[in-house]
Amino acid sequence: QMIPAPDRAEGDGPYDRLIIRGATLIDGTGAPPIGPVDIVVEGNRIADVVMVGYPGLEIKEDARPGDATHEIDAHGAYVMPGIIDTHTHTGGATKAPEAEYTYKLWLGHGITTIRGVPSGRMEFSLAEKDRSASNAITAPRIFSYHTMGSGKEYAEKPILTPDDARKWVRYAARAGIDGLKLGSHRPAIMAALLDEASKLKLGSVAHLGQMGVAQMNAQDAARLGLGTLTHYYGLFEAMYENHDVQPWPVDMNYGNEQHRFGQVARQWNLVAGRGSDKWNALLDEFLELDFTINPTMTIYSAGRDVMRARNADWHETYTLPTQWEFFKPSRESHGAYWFYWTTEDEIAWRNFYHVWMQFLNDYKNRGGRVTVGSDSGFIYQLYGFGTILELEMLQEAGFHPLEVIRAATMHGAEELFKPSGKEIEFGVVRAGLLADLLIVDENPLENLKVLYGTGAVKLDDATREVTRVGGVTHTIKDGIVYDARKLLADVAAMVEKQKAELGERKTY
């Protein structure tokens, strides 16, 4: 069982009139940075964004908005919308049992909204969602998506027919969920789930896993009304040239996770290539359907260089011993498939990423919506840190840093609000929207690594010392100002406490 977050004991505000002074603004729309600006926040909403001078010149004091009940000095710093991570899980009883741990890692990285898919059992997730909405806990804003059959009432009720599926959707909607996390259900069930969700204005996202993708690939699901494809499952299968199903080895066993994750990358050369008729037709159809792709490249990235992921800078300070044990090679822990990972496996994954990234960049270039999700807590990816790695991987795929930030902010908000038909409430720094923001003292467009909680390594030419720069300084969620570094210090203390209780974690 997950342990709910304690009552909030940190964060100040919301204030009657908070002013963030002198920042350079990256607004989330893809527009270039601008500054210096003063950002006025009244209560939990942005009231105004005011230019107060010109770069390289003195601030024009007479242009500044008036008095504030609280000020943040952001001269020389950058402000952008809070990051939206649309594929998350809030730990787990065997790896990170306290929700406070994951919440503070997310907020410490400027992540102000998450979509749990799911973020724990339905009753737990919905209770935490409500507590976060009222700011009773230190946590990002939570959108709660759930898998078919979730909820106590369905603990012993099988869902066997389309009518059963529709009844569950209605039950889950009454309970207060925001959307459905779907698998590759058989077509009649999938159609019923998506149709009922659409009627009730619920969102939908699908992991079209290998056990069902042969009868429900990404193109099939999009045509039935699926809103978002998460991961890559079903994408490549929609573009095969000479196969209809992946030509698995004859000794393939999906229950063996090294088979599962080692073989899936070996479809990189089965697809119609970039610019082919199938490739372009799929891009065009997704665009016509206003389909969202939430790739979560970060969660599989260890497959192309497991040593890097295993030895990341943050593990020693921020990874719980229990989480580390979950990451280690195991035939029981999901995603711990390093039974004997080979150079050949890593090469297959590198080739796979090359093709995958081409498709994502082409879709973005045609106007398609690509969003940021991390799925952290598996495969050596830690909450918060994995989200920033996803930003870096989008840049690797060909996204300009402004396009990366747009994916992580405005486009994430559009994905979440689209099912309801409502305008976005956050994700852009604009008057009238909710005050979900982050402040960082280095330029994230120059180097996305400055958003990591561990910052970026830099040689100081003046002192000739190697330093770390960056790290989010303030996270503002719903007008409440959090000291991001203090949140990460709290996480580090939780790790040290568990180490003392369990003993130092063992490496291999």
Side-chain angles (χ1 to χ4, degrees):
Q1 292 289 332
M2 286 291 299
I3 301 169
D7 291 343
R8 183 166 66 90
E10 48 273 303
D12 298 312
Y15 297 94
D16 289 341
R17 188 172 166 85
L18 165 69
I19 301 182
I20 302 166
R21 300 281 192 187
T24 299
L25 172 65
I26 303 169
D27 72 4
T29 67
I34 189 168
V37 299
D38 284 2
I39 301 169
V40 182
V41 176
E42 294 178 354
N44 68 342
R45 291 194 178 268
I46 300 166
D48 206 356
V49 179
V50 182
M51 280 291 295
V52 293
Y54 302 93
L57 298 179
E58 294 292 324
I59 295 289
K60 298 174 67 174
E61 293 297 331
D62 60 349
R64 308 199 95 153
D67 294 338
T69 54
H70 185 75
E71 294 189 5
I72 297 175
D73 183 356
H75 294 86
Y78 289 76
V79 175
M80 56 179 267
I83 294 170
I84 301 166
D85 189 329
T86 57
H87 189 129
T88 68
H89 303 280
T90 306
T94 60
K95 51 183 178 176
E98 296 181 68
E100 178 185 12
Y101 172 76
T102 48
Y103 294 163
K104 286 186 174 179
L105 279 170
W106 284 323
L107 283 173
H109 283 88
I111 299 162
T112 52
T113 297
I114 59 160
R115 175 173 63 188
V117 288
S119 51
R121 293 180 179 177
M122 183 186 289
E123 292 75 19
F124 170 87
S125 173
L126 293 175
E128 294 289 273
K129 169 189 167 183
D130 289 345
R131 294 176 72 211
S132 176
S134 65
N135 294 308
I137 56 176
T138 299
R141 196 181 308 278
I142 298 171
F143 281 66
S144 188
Y145 279 47
H146 289 274
T147 55
M148 186 176 73
S150 298
K152 287 182 179 178
E153 189 173 313
Y154 274 78
E156 298 181 4
K157 283 186 181 179
I159 296 175
L160 303 176
T161 69
D163 190 53
D164 292 339
R166 289 180 183 276
K167 288 178 181 176
W168 174 78
V169 175
R170 292 194 290 270
Y171 157 77
R174 289 194 301 272
I177 73 167
D178 298 294
L180 311 185
K181 164 69 178 300
L182 303 174
S184 46
H185 305 290
R186 72 179 197 266
I189 296 287
M190 194 75 152
L193 290 166
L194 289 170
D195 182 61
E196 201 66 28
S198 177
K199 290 175 181 176
L200 297 171
K201 296 188 176 181
L202 297 176
S204 59
V205 58
H207 168 163
L208 300 172
Q210 291 110 313
M211 291 304 294
V213 73
Q215 63 176 350
M216 181 60 60
N217 65 36
Q219 188 174 42
D220 299 326
R223 287 171 175 173
L224 289 176
L226 178 68
T228 298
L229 175 72
T230 196
H231 307 316
Y232 52 79
Y233 305 102
L235 179 63
F236 282 59
E237 290 87 345
M239 296 185 289
Y240 282 174
E241 281 274 67
N242 299 311
H243 297 85
D244 188 48
V245 300
Q246 185 170 349
W248 305 104
V250 294
D251 63 346
M252 170 71 185
N253 186 329
Y254 184 74
N256 177 323
E257 289 216 337
Q258 181 150 344
H259 285 189
R260 172 180 173 180
F261 288 101
Q263 288 299 320
V264 72
R266 286 168 165 81
Q267 59 180 322
W268 67 271
N269 59 353
L270 302 180
V271 304
R274 190 177 199 176
S276 67
D277 289 345
K278 281 191 174 181
W279 182 283
N280 289 332
L282 190 60
L283 289 168
D284 289 342
E285 186 166 4
F286 281 173
L287 194 61
E288 183 179 352
L289 293 169
D290 196 20
F291 195 58
T292 299
I293 301 178
N294 180 239
T296 72
M297 289 182 285
T298 177
I299 197 58
Y300 306 103
S301 61
R304 60 182 189 168
D305 188 355
V306 67
M307 183 167 62
R308 177 199 179 279
R310 191 171 61 226
N311 292 286
D313 288 357
W314 42 85
H315 286 313
E316 183 60 35
T317 302
Y318 298 110
T319 302
L320 287 168
T322 48
Q323 180 71 66
W324 186 254
E325 285 299 312
F326 187 90
F327 285 150
K328 288 167 62 173
S330 165
R331 291 189 180 273
E332 294 180 288
S333 298
H334 175 49
Y337 47 82
W338 317 103
F339 309 157
Y340 190 48
W341 202 245
T342 68
T343 303
E344 184 180 356
D345 289 318
E346 292 193 346
I347 291 169
W349 270 105
R350 289 171 197 157
N351 289 332
F352 182 90
Y353 270 99
H354 180 68
V355 179
W356 190 13
M357 287 177 170
Q358 287 179 332
F359 190 90
L360 295 172
N361 198 45
D362 283 358
Y363 192 50
K364 175 265 297 179
N365 287 343
R366 292 183 183 221
R369 187 184 302 107
V370 178
T371 58
V372 166
S374 65
D375 197 14
S376 293
F378 308 94
I379 321 181
Y380 291 115
Q381 298 307 326
L382 192 61
Y383 318 94
F385 292 95
T387 310
I388 306 308
L389 177 57
E390 183 74 358
L391 305 188
E392 290 196 277
M393 295 187 77
L394 285 173
Q395 185 171 358
E396 181 184 346
F399 288 46
H400 184 278
L402 285 169
E403 294 172 328
V404 172
I405 290 173
R406 183 181 63 185
T409 57
M410 186 179 80
H411 280 178
E414 289 175 351
E415 180 186 3
L416 294 175
F417 280 88
K418 179 174 176 275
S420 70
K422 297 177 181 177
E423 292 293 317
I424 62 172
E425 287 276 345
F426 48 78
V428 175
V429 182
R430 285 283 188 276
L433 297 188
L434 291 170
D436 285 9
L437 309 163
L438 71 81
I439 304 175
V440 60
D441 55 14
E442 299 285 331
N443 183 357
L445 301 180
E446 179 184 19
N447 187 2
L448 290 166
K449 292 183 189 298
V450 301
L451 294 171
Y452 283 119
T454 45
V457 175
K458 185 177 184 180
L459 179 66
D460 188 317
D461 288 331
T463 65
R464 299 187 181 181
E465 295 292 327
V466 177
T467 62
R468 281 190 181 268
V469 298
V472 174
T473 59
H474 300 80
T475 300
I476 302 171
K477 176 242 177 176
D478 215 22
I480 296 173
V481 181
Y482 293 95
D483 180 333
R485 290 170 175 164
K486 174 62 169 61
L487 295 177
L488 292 181
D490 290 348
V491 170
M494 295 175 75
V495 171
E496 288 303 312
K497 180 175 182 287
Q498 195 187 81
K499 284 181 180 180
E501 293 169 351
L502 301 178
E504 290 284 339
R505 64 171 176 255
K506 300 294 189 293
T507 59
Y508 58 92

